[in-house]
Amino acid sequence: MNQGGKKLLLIGIDQAIPFLINKFIKQGSIPNIASLCENGVSAEAFSCAPCDTPTNWTTIATGATTAKHGATSFYVHLKGEPLD
């Protein structure tokens, strides 16, 4: 299946505050996260509006914007239901 390509493992920490993660790494409070950052790649991500969990995880998984993938919150609107 993997014909010479590299593998990727994406670990996301939902609602993480980057400056606190960096602070705790420097304090030695989260050694496993520190090890992942030191031996891999870490970066901050910018939210895709609206800024909530399902919207942003769908954007990460698909690479599409909210307008394209349609996941805009924790709910599902079924055809025929009122929009209010």
Side-chain angles (χ1 to χ4, degrees):
M1 235 180 201
N2 186 7
Q3 301 174 357
K6 294 183 178 183
K7 293 182 180 182
L8 169 73
L9 172 63
L10 173 66
I11 299 173
I13 304 173
D14 203 351
Q15 295 293 316
I17 301 170
F19 81 86
L20 289 176
I21 295 292
N22 293 331
K23 175 183 173 181
F24 298 145
I25 286 172
K26 288 177 185 170
Q27 289 177 349
S29 301
I30 50 175
N32 293 327
I33 300 292
S35 178
L36 288 170
C37 292
E38 290 167 11
N39 296 305
V41 176
S42 66
E44 294 180 31
F46 294 97
S47 297
C48 182
C51 301
D52 61 7
T53 297
T55 303
N56 285 289
W57 281 113
T58 305
T59 298
I60 290 167
T62 65
T65 65
T66 309
K68 186 73 173 173
H69 61 61
T72 58
S73 193
F74 286 93
Y75 64 88
V76 174
H77 176 262
L78 301 176
K79 185 177 180 180
E81 288 184 340
L83 295 173
D84 61 355

